[in-house]
Amino acid sequence: MASASVSSEHAACARIVESKPAPLPIVVFASGRGSNFQALLNAERAGRLNIEIRALLCDRSRARALELARAANVPAIALDHKAFADRPAFDQALFARAAEFAPALIVLAGFMRILDPAAMSPWIGRMINIHPSLLPKYPGLHTHQRALDADDARHGSSVHFVSAELDGGPVIARTEIAIGRGDTAEQLAARLLPYEHRLLCASVELFARGRIVLKGGAVQIDGHPLAQPLAIDSAGRLG
Ligand code: GAR
């Protein structure tokens, strides 16, 4: 009797193992420090995210992100834009390299180049970006200083599907922090960063679970239109 119940437990466990979906193959693009890349890597390695980071692509050969990838045995590829005739040629090469790793999702994690619309268009719906502002506020650069200059009470970061418009694609989720009296742009950026890491991991998890998709140019969650961006709390949960 006891052995029958043990073997039926084994059978149940086997079914659970069998039914676990394959990890989502991902390629990450980064330009610099790579802390968001590292956050994804940590979550993957700790089994908190069902993803497989297949490569890191960089547009700067000295980016620290490359060192982080090499240290983790992730293929680390630097492409120098000066070796290409123009932006479209560089971007075509970049996406061709990414495609070699057959990602289901490309994650722009601190990738600081504007993308050529023709090169990126095949990836619409399969590419997300993290941007350090509460989009649609402050697309582009110097977001922390712009929030301070505007006397905003709150600041934050957004993850959105990438479209041809700079930082303009449909927003999936955001995370917010209060701006402190006397904050500098550097202090604000540093305080926001760990929230960014949790936001990015939570957003990738939603994509990996098939819960969010881009349909008709808008975000859907669990098959329904997303009325407003999801709020991710300080622990990385949907608020
Ligand atoms: C992050 O703050 C990210 O939001 C921002 O660059 C930083 C990269 O940090 N991205 C952009 O500004 C894109 N427009 P990291 O290299 O340590 O991940």
Side-chain angles (χ1 to χ4, degrees), residues 30-38 64-65 108-113 129-133 139-144 157-158 160 166-167 189 192-193 196-197 200:
S31 296
R33 182 177 52 186
S35 72
N36 278 284
F37 165 69
Q38 186 71 53
R64 181 171 163 267
L108 308 187
F111 188 67
M112 302 307 284
R113 281 181 66 88
N129 177 47
I130 182 160
H131 180 74
S133 79
L141 298 174
H142 312 301
T143 56
H144 312 299
S157 186
S158 310
H160 63 94
L166 176 68
D167 302 325
L192 182 60
L193 195 61
E196 291 205 84
H197 297 161
L200 185 58

Side-chain angles (χ1 to χ4, degrees), residues 17-68:
V17 170
E18 276 164 22
S19 66
K20 191 178 180 216
L24 186 82
I26 286 182
V27 167
V28 178
F29 290 4
S31 296
R33 182 177 52 186
S35 72
N36 278 284
F37 165 69
Q38 186 71 53
L40 289 174
L41 197 57
N42 292 347
E44 177 199 331
R45 301 276 157 105
R48 282 183 277 116
L49 267 184
N50 191 27
I51 60 172
E52 180 193 339
I53 301 178
R54 291 194 171 169
L56 174 84
L57 268 64
C58 265
D59 59 326
R60 294 181 194 162
S61 59
R62 294 185 177 188
R64 181 171 163 267
L66 288 166
E67 292 167 29
L68 298 174

Side-chain angles (χ1 to χ4, degrees), residues 104-105 120-128 159-164 168-172 206-207 210-226:
L105 180 69
M120 56 80 71
S121 69
W123 294 93
I124 286 178
R126 298 184 292 151
M127 179 159 55
I128 62 173
V159 168
H160 63 94
F161 280 109
V162 178
S163 70
V171 178
I172 299 162
L206 287 171
F207 191 95
R211 295 191 58 197
I212 49 163
V213 294
L214 185 71
K215 207 161 185 184
V219 182
Q220 287 198 348
I221 181 155
D222 300 332
H224 303 288
L226 184 64

